[in-house]
Structure formats: C-alpha cells, structure tokens
C-alpha cells in the first residue's frame, strides 16, 4: 500500500448525466464545473472544449485564434444549437418519409404477401442460411456444442447462386469476391439457452492459427458487451475455433466484434451475433 | 496550430490510388470518344482529393471489412461526384476545375451536359456490382442509400440555385446549413460513412447513427472550401474569388448582408441581381473588402472550428465501441484535416 494520501476529486455539481444537447456545448464554467487548464484561459478555444469531458480518444485539436477569451460565447452557443436543430429536423423528416414508405408498402404488401415472401427467400444470403443451422432453443438447455463448419465469408460468392441473380455485364473483369470458396473453415461453439444467430466473416488470406478477438459490442451503447468469447486453434484439425458463452442475463440484440491479427493490429474479419429475446 | 499527423494524406493517397485504378476500368474506351467518352473521363482523371471514396473505404475497414469490399462503392461515389461537378460547373458558371478550364468552357455547354449525364449512368455500374459481392439484400440497401443521397444533393443544389435565381440574400445561418447539409454533406460525408458502415457490418448497423457526424464533418469541409475560395493561393485549383463572381450564397456572403448598413445592402443586392458577366472586378473587390471590414471571414472560420468540435463529439459517439485501428484514426483526424487544409 502506498503511504501517499488518496487524491479525492470534488463531487460534481450535477446529480445526473447531462444529456440535453442544448447544454452539451457549454463550457465547463457554464455548467458549474471548474474550467479546464487547457481551455480558454490557456489562450484560445480548443475545438473540442465545447464537448463535454473533451473527446476521449481525440489526439487532434485546433486553436481558434479569434475565439472568445472566456467561456463559450453567445455566438458559439447559438451557432451550435442552430446546427443541431438543422440536422435533427432533417433526421425527423427522413424518419417520417421512411414511415410513410413503410406504411404504403404494408398496404400494397397485403395483396402481394406471397410474392414478397418469395423475394425475402431469394434475398437471403448463404450466411443467413448457415446461421439458421446454429439456432439454439431454450429447451436444449445450456451446452457446448461443436457445431458448424462455417465459412460465412463465402456467402457473397455463393449469394448469386442462392438468389438466382446474374451479375451485370461490365466493361471489365469483375472484382474478386469477398472470399473464395477455398477459405478455410472454422468451428463455432456456442453455449446459450436462447436462439442465437452468428455470422463469421473472415478474410480468405487470414491465418487460421493466429487471430484474436476482444469482446463483442452491442449496437446499442447502453447494453453491456459480450465478453465470454475466445478464439483458439483446434489441436487436431488446426482450425480456428470460436467459443462463445451467452449468459441468460445478456440483453437480446445484435453484437459485433472485429477479428484482428494481434501482431499487426490489422482487421481480419468480423463476428456478428444476434441474440433473440 | 497544426497537430494533424500525416495519416490523412497517407490514407487519402493509398485509398485514392486504389479507387482511381479501379475507376479506370469503368470508363468506356469505345467510340464516340471525341464527343462523349473522352469528356466523360476528363474530370475523373484530373485527380482530386478522393476524400469521399477514402472515407467510405476507411469506414468499412474500421468495421472489419477489407478495403476491396468497399472499392466498387468507392468508385461509384467518385464517378457520381465527378458527374455532379460537370453539371454544377455549368449551373454555377464556373470557369476552372482542378486547375484547368471547366468542361463546358472547353467543349461547350451541350457536349458537357451530355457527358455529365453519361457519367451519372456510368456511376451506376460499380453500384450494381455489389449484387454479386454482397447479395441482393445489402446491395438493395446500398442502392436505396444512393438514391437518398442523390436526391438530397439535387435538393440542396436547387435551394442555392433558387436563392440566386430569386436574388435572395436575406438568409440566416440555419438556411445556409440546411442547404449545405443537402448539397454537400450527404455526398461528401454522410453517404460514404453510412454505406461504409453498412458494408463493414454486412448490413447489420443502423446507418442513421452516422448522420450527425457526417453533417458536422461535411459542413466544416464546405465552409473551409468557401474560405479557401477567398484566401487560398494558386494551388487551390479553382478560380480565386470565383464564389463572389458567381454570387454563391456562402456563410460569408450571408453574414455580410446581415451586417451591412441599408445603403450597402442595396448595393450588394444590385450587384448580385444579374449573372456573373454583369459583375465587374470592382464589384467583386468591393464585396471582398466589405467582408474583411465586417469580419465575415473570421466569423466563418470560427463557425468552421465550432462545427469541427461538434464533429469530434459526434465521432466519439458514432464510433464508440469500434476497435482502435488505422482507419478509425483516419476518420477522426479527417475532422482536423478539413479545417487545416489549404
């Protein structure tokens, strides 16, 4: 144990998270917090001083020569509020248009239900068909199952055949597909009491024995990440094995993670997991 | 203070070269060349920053895709961007593009207009290629995104052309931002981010999450572009003060009108009433001097920096949870790069 006294931060004035965007771009002074030494007092307004708590992983900043000497000026506040109003109104317009289109589609779709079902099936990729094979139902109880030789990455190459779609004639040779059919298979093992759908998208050239993955992040930031996932090499087959355990209290939703080469940090593929409620 | 690393120029160069090489394969090499396909290839082969295509590829890679996965879409973006530039130059009466005469100045309006139409159609080809790459479902999502972007761009252009047609100058910052959102931000940033994320996640992600970041990044880019038109050196590639000659409703011009005394407003309105050929060098010099007098340049610069701050904030939200990578850093550093470039 260190003999140094613990440094205690002063309790913040706020009693709850500040999520009102109109407050978002006020300086710490304006929100009742002590001013940052890197802020206006240090000479000039750094670009992200207007952002609550700064920008955590930002390494870039620009000094505004003509910035106000203290706090965020009325001009700055109004400018940012105006900009947010413009984009938020635009997004609302987009949502309304989408709702109208969906409503119109639902009306038209009632009389053409059979046809639209056909379209859905045709559009389904090999990835999804593979994924259907690895659904787990609660009646099966939690268990580890070595399941699928899944090359979800070959879905793109196989999609045309599955969907019966001919590639358009082009002025050049087509680009290589995302993954050739020769991509090495990987093994996926899942322990879950709920229906789960997994998609693995791996670069064809990726080494099967030298990959790593962190947790899977939910698309919604408020949901906790799925941490019980590992990537190893099967001793006998020398194939990559992805093992995932899904706790019963893990919220339903879509989780994603990037498979990386631990040496270079370069991306080698992705894993997408959908957990049903 | 310059703090941006060399990452942005390096990736723009790398992804730009990839896109440019792939783009050549889509430019038809058949007849009629003299009056069509040579013109179609002109703007795309003049170079450019390749910012839009690089942003698309980098976003896809940040989400785990490989650069080649997004290449067809990147090519489509560049081709459509160049097609719109041909038409924009005609509509704006611009005389220079990337350091050379604009297409309609060089070949006349009818041929340039037709080349722009043809290039728009050529841009569809790589888009269709996505069917074979990703399957019908995701390919259709990408087409819908393209349709939404193209319509927004046309609406934004119509807003600005309408203001000039009606000689409307009494505008406010919200009007300007709304126009820029549609005319610039969708094609320059929102669309490349959205389709890049869709490709990277194989269609799983909600692309709406990138609209705010794309808006702030695109608006910062446009204001800086407008500033460069007034203050940049010869390497800028466009006509110096061209926006004043064309009467473009920039943030500086809108601010100038707002700050001017009544008599000055009358003079400004009279100068902007007719087309660029009715304006004189003295008119343009007066407008430029008035902008300095009323601090319009500094006002726009401050606005650009504020929007860049908001862009960094929205970036941290939109890319939360995405693992650190070279591509992710590039996207973040783009914000600083757009305000520092000259």
């Amino acid at each position: 144990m260190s003999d140094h006294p613990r440094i205690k931060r002063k309790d913040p004035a706020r009693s709850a998270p500040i999520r009102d965007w109109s407050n978002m771009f006020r300086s710490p002074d304006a929100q009742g917090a002590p001013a940052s030494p890197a802020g206006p007092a240090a000479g000039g307004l750094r670009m992200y001083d207007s952002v609550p708590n700064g920008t955590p992983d930002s390494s870039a900043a620009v000094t505004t020569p003509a910035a106000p000497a203290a706090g965020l000026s009325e001009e700055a506040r109004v400018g940012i509020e105006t900009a947010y109003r413009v984009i938020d109104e635009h997004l609302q317009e987009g949502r309304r248009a989408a709702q109208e289109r969906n409503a119109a589609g639902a009306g038209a779709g009632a009389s053409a239900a059979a046809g639209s079902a056909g379209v859905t099936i045709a559009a389904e990729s090999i990835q999804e068909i593979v994924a259907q094979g690895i659904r787990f139902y609660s009646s099966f109880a939690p268990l580890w199952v070595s399941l699928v030789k899944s090359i979800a990455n070959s879905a793109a190459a196989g999609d045309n055949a599955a969907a019966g779609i001919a590639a358009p004639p082009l002025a050049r040779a087509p680009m290589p597909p995302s993954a050739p059919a020769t991509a090495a298979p990987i093994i996926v093992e899942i322990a879950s009491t709920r229906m789960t759908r997994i998609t693995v998208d791996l670069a064809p050239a990726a080494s099967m024995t030298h990959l790593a993955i962190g947790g899977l992040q939910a698309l919604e930031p408020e949901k906790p990440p799925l941490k019980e996932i590992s990537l190893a090499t099967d001793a006998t087959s020398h194939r990559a094995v992805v093992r995932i355990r899904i706790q019963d209290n893990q919220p339903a939703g879509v989780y994603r993670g990037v498979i990386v080469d631990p040496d270079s940090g370069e991306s080698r593929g992705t894993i997408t997991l959908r957990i049903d409620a | 203070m310059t703090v941006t690393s060399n990452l942005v120029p390096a990736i723009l160069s790398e992804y730009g070269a990839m896109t440019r090489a792939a783009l050549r394969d889509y430019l038809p090499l058949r007849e009629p060349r003299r009056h069509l396909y040579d013109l179609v290839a002109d703007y795309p082969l003049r170079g450019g920053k390749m910012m839009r295509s690089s942003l698309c590829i980098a976003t896809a890679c940040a989400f785990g895709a490989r650069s080649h996965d997004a290449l067809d879409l990147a090519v489509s973006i560049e081709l459509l961007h160049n097609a719109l530039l041909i038409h924009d130059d005609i509509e704006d009466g611009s005389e220079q593009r990337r350091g050379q005469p604009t297409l309609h100045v060089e070949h006349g309006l009818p041929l340039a207009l037709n080349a722009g139409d043809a290039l728009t159609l050529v841009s569809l080809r790589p888009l269709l290629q996505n069917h074979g790459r990703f399957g019908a479902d995701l390919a259709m999502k990408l087409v819908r995104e393209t349709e939404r972007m193209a319509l927004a761009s046309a609406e934004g252009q119509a807003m600005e052309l309408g203001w000039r047609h009606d000689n409307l100058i009494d505008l406010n910052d919200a009007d300007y931002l709304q126009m820029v959102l549609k005319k610039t931000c969708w094609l320059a940033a929102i669309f490349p981010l959205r389709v890049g994320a869709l490709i990277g996640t194989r269609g799983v992600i909600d692309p709406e999450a990138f609209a705010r970041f794309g808006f702030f990044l695109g608006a910062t880019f446009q204001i800086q572009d407008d500033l460069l038109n007034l203050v940049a050196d010869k390497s800028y590639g466009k006509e110096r003060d061209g926006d004043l000659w064309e009467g473009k409703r920039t943030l500086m011009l809108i601010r100038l009108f707002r700050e001017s005394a009544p008599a000055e407003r009358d003079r400004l309105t009279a100068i902007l009433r007719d087309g660029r050929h009715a304006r004189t060098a003295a008119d343009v010099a007066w407008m430029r001097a008035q902008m300095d007098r009323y601090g319009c340049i500094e006002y726009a610069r401050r606005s650009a920096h504020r929007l860049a701050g908001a862009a960094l904030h929205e970036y941290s939200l939109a890319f939360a949870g995405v693992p650190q990578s070279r591509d992710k850093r590039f996207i973040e550093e783009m914000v600083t790069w757009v305000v520092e470039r000259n």
Side-chain angles (χ1 to χ4, degrees), chain A residues 4-25:
Chain A
H4 293 295
R6 287 187 65 159
I7 298 169
K8 252 195 111 186
R9 204 180 290 272
K10 261 177 67 181
D11 289 336
R14 62 181 169 80
S15 57
I18 301 169
R19 296 209 173 95
D20 176 7
W21 64 261
S22 62
N23 285 328
M24 191 174 281
F25 291 91

Side-chain angles (χ1 to χ4, degrees), chain A residues 81-101:
Chain A
E81 281 185 0
T82 302
Y84 267 95
R85 196 174 62 243
V86 166
I87 183 65
D88 285 347
E89 282 172 3
H90 181 73
L91 290 174
Q92 277 174 8
E93 265 177 39
R95 281 186 207 113
R96 274 198 298 272
Q99 281 165 359
E100 282 168 20
R101 189 165 67 179

Side-chain angles (χ1 to χ4, degrees), chain B residues 43-44 46-49 52 77-94 96-98 102-104 112 116 119-120 157 183 187 221-222 225 238 248:
Chain B
Y43 275 15
R46 283 188 190 188
K49 293 178 284 293
R52 296 155 184 82
I77 289 172
E78 282 302 323
L79 292 173
L80 182 62
H81 169 54
N82 280 283
L84 295 180
L85 287 181
I86 296 174
H87 285 184
D88 285 359
D89 286 345
I90 293 169
E91 290 155 1
D92 296 343
S94 302
Q96 276 194 324
R97 172 68 59 188
R98 294 173 187 154
T102 49
L103 208 62
H104 66 279
L119 192 50
T120 305
Q157 180 75 348
K183 182 186 154 185
L187 178 55
F221 171 81
Q222 182 62 64
D225 208 52
K238 294 182 202 168
K248 276 176 84 170

Side-chain angles (χ1 to χ4, degrees), chain A residues 105-276:
Chain A
S111 59
S116 65
V119 169
T120 305
I121 291 164
E124 196 148 41
S125 68
I126 293 279
Q127 273 182 318
E128 288 165 326
I129 293 166
V130 168
Q132 283 170 4
I134 48 176
R135 288 180 174 182
F136 291 81
Y137 297 90
S138 54
S139 58
F140 288 167
L143 76 169
W144 284 100
V145 182
S146 178
L147 240 174
V148 178
K149 292 188 291 180
S150 164
I151 320 169
N153 210 8
S154 65
D159 254 358
N160 276 349
I165 299 158
L170 289 169
R172 61 166 188 156
M175 297 300 297
S178 299
T182 53
I186 65 168
I187 298 165
V188 180
E189 296 180 355
I190 292 185
S192 171
T193 58
R194 282 176 289 169
M195 188 159 74
T196 304
R197 170 182 292 209
I198 184 167
T199 305
V200 182
D201 188 356
L202 204 58
S207 159
M208 286 296 126
T209 57
H210 195 54
L211 296 170
I213 185 165
L216 301 185
Q217 302 287 338
L219 293 185
E220 301 86 353
E222 67 275 9
K223 290 182 182 171
L226 203 158
K227 291 179 178 165
E228 291 185 65
I229 179 168
S230 66
L231 193 54
T233 308
D234 183 64
T236 50
S237 66
H238 301 291
R239 289 174 181 166
V241 185
V242 180
R243 292 193 176 94
I244 305 168
R245 179 179 287 277
I246 300 163
Q247 299 293 347
D248 288 347
N249 60 355
Q250 188 75 36
V254 177
Y255 295 81
R256 293 194 78 258
V258 178
I259 301 168
V260 296
D261 179 331
D263 291 339
S264 67
E266 293 286 319
S267 159
R268 290 289 177 260
T270 58
I271 291 184
T272 307
L273 189 74
R274 183 188 297 275
I275 306 171
D276 286 0

Side-chain angles (χ1 to χ4, degrees), chain A residues 24 47 51 57-58 60-62 64 75-76 83-84 88 90 156 159 170 172 174-175 178 201 254 256 267 270, chain B residues 3 25-26 63 66 69 72 129 132-135 186 200 202 204 212 302 305-306 308-309 313-314 324 332 336:
Chain A
M24 191 174 281
M47 271 208 301
V51 180
D57 54 352
S58 169
V62 166
T64 308
E75 175 194 298
Y84 267 95
D88 285 347
H90 181 73
D159 254 358
L170 289 169
R172 61 166 188 156
M175 297 300 297
S178 299
D201 188 356
V254 177
R256 293 194 78 258
S267 159
T270 58
Chain B
V3 290
D25 292 336
Y26 285 96
F63 279 94
R66 292 169 299 284
D69 289 336
D72 282 320
Q129 185 82 334
R133 192 178 286 279
F134 303 122
W186 264 95
R202 289 295 191 268
V204 170
R212 285 191 183 86
R302 288 198 301 276
H305 284 201
R306 273 198 304 273
H313 173 65
E314 291 299 332
Q324 273 303 340
E332 182 187 12
T336 319

